[in-house]
Amino acid sequence: MVYFIGAGPGAFDLITVRGKNLLEQADVVIYAGSLVNPKLLDYTKPGCEIHNSASMTLEQVIQVMEKGESQSKMTVRLHTGDPSIYGAIREQMDILIEKGIEYSVVPGVSSFCGAAAALKTEYTLPTVSQTVILTRMEGRTPVPEKEEISKLASHQASMALFLSAGMLEELSRRLIKGGYNADTPAAIVYKATWPDERIVRTTIENLSQAAKENEISKTALILVGGFLGNEYERSKLYDPTFTHEFREAEK
Ligand code: SAH
């Protein structure tokens, strides 16, 4: 059996209870070494076979899973954050299906949630934005043309940009071209929830400058939108004058 497990954004105690339990039982662990906190490997039992996937190909990863399976071992594939976001798990799962190897997925805390917690903020503020866009700039991995940043920017929703910290001048240009005001609040969150986490608050037009000043070019999320500002309306849910299924409005 193979378990794809979300390791969480960094802090070793932000893995789920289910993920930790499975990690403790694993005979084989393949972890994404570039972003998974190695302290999570302390949860494994003595003798657990450990592979760092940073230097492996898809074929090599599958080979390790197949070998484990042939010896009735339990394999954990540990992905950073939540495996469904830029985790490249679909291609692994499809090969496992072909090979008749059973697998299961355990979600994790994505870094965009870790970053919001670090900033003590809420993406979905009434009257500001009720939508979160998770996206990236294209790098060597292309992004479909219809999802080009300036098109997504036309919504001026809350946005979390992965894998883009090295392209901030172009990112700002596209965000502004698409509709955000140049002075829209933005944040760069480096290694959210890790011991060396850093938060840089800035504006969309100053993203690149702020990153340079703080020497951040990777392992960071870029957050942009009015949710980082100070203006919003109270929620209806907890408004004393608002009646809903579980509470009558106060007279
Ligand atoms: N599956 C992961 C994302 C993997 S893509 C998740 O759900 O979070 C890798 C990108 O995620 C990095 O380039 C960076 O943009 C972001 N990232 C991952 N961990 C991060 C962290 N702790 N702090 C800030 N950004 C992080």
Side-chain angles (χ1 to χ4, degrees):
M1 181 80 179
V2 174
Y3 290 92
F4 293 90
I5 297 180
F12 68 91
D13 54 352
L14 281 177
I15 189 170
T16 65
V17 174
R18 185 185 297 179
K20 176 172 176 273
N21 286 341
L22 288 165
L23 198 52
E24 284 167 351
Q25 293 163 36
D27 303 301
V28 180
V29 171
I30 310 166
Y31 76 108
S34 54
L35 280 171
V36 168
N37 188 340
K39 265 192 97 175
L40 282 164
L41 302 174
D42 293 349
Y43 294 134
T44 59
K45 62 188 182 190
C48 175
E49 184 185 313
I50 293 178
H51 300 263
N52 180 350
S53 64
S55 59
M56 295 164 79
T57 61
L58 171 62
E59 286 71 18
Q60 289 168 331
V61 166
I62 299 290
Q63 244 173 28
V64 171
M65 291 174 175
E66 242 185 323
K67 182 163 160 248
E69 197 62 19
S70 70
Q71 299 169 347
S72 306
K73 288 182 171 172
M74 194 268 260
T75 299
V76 163
R77 175 72 170 109
L78 198 55
H79 282 275
T80 177
D82 182 82
S84 71
I85 313 276
Y86 307 114
I89 60 167
R90 176 65 188 269
E91 59 194 27
Q92 300 173 63
M93 297 189 294
D94 281 349
I95 300 178
L96 294 184
I97 292 172
E98 262 171 43
K99 295 188 180 289
I101 297 175
E102 264 191 87
Y103 65 88
S104 179
V105 182
V106 179
V109 178
S110 179
S111 57
F112 82 93
C113 299
L119 286 161
K120 303 191 175 87
T121 192
E122 177 178 353
Y123 286 114
T124 52
L125 289 178
T127 68
V128 176
S129 176
Q130 293 289 289
T131 303
V132 187
I133 296 178
L134 307 180
T135 189
R136 62 170 296 174
M137 291 276 281
E138 72 272 9
R140 281 192 288 176
T141 302
V143 171
E145 219 280 308
K146 57 187 187 301
E147 295 173 11
E148 200 272 309
I149 302 282
S150 61
K151 293 182 181 153
L152 301 178
S154 68
H155 300 283
Q156 295 183 49
S158 304
M159 204 185 275
L161 293 124
F162 292 74
L163 298 157
S164 304
M167 297 171 254
L168 295 183
E169 241 166 77
E170 181 60 14
L171 175 65
S172 296
R173 206 185 59 74
R174 292 190 194 183
L175 289 170
I176 293 166
K177 178 177 163 225
Y180 288 97
N181 287 327
D183 63 356
T184 302
I188 305 170
V189 185
Y190 172 77
K191 294 188 84 174
T193 82
W194 287 74
D196 49 346
E197 165 188 293
R198 274 191 291 150
I199 291 172
V200 179
R201 286 179 181 273
T202 181
T203 58
I204 287 185
E205 70 181 334
N206 286 325
L207 271 168
S208 172
Q209 182 67 20
K212 268 191 210 125
E213 278 166 18
N214 290 278
E215 293 173 11
I216 299 173
S217 60
K218 58 175 191 174
T219 331
L221 272 174
I222 311 303
L223 307 181
V224 303
F227 76 99
L228 291 166
N230 295 323
E231 277 168 40
Y232 66 97
E233 277 180 18
R234 274 184 59 159
S235 68
K236 293 281 181 225
L237 190 61
Y238 297 104
D239 180 341
T241 65
F242 188 75
T243 296
H244 63 71
E245 194 183 348
F246 300 105
R247 188 173 51 75
E248 279 292 317
E250 291 170 11
K251 294 275 174 338

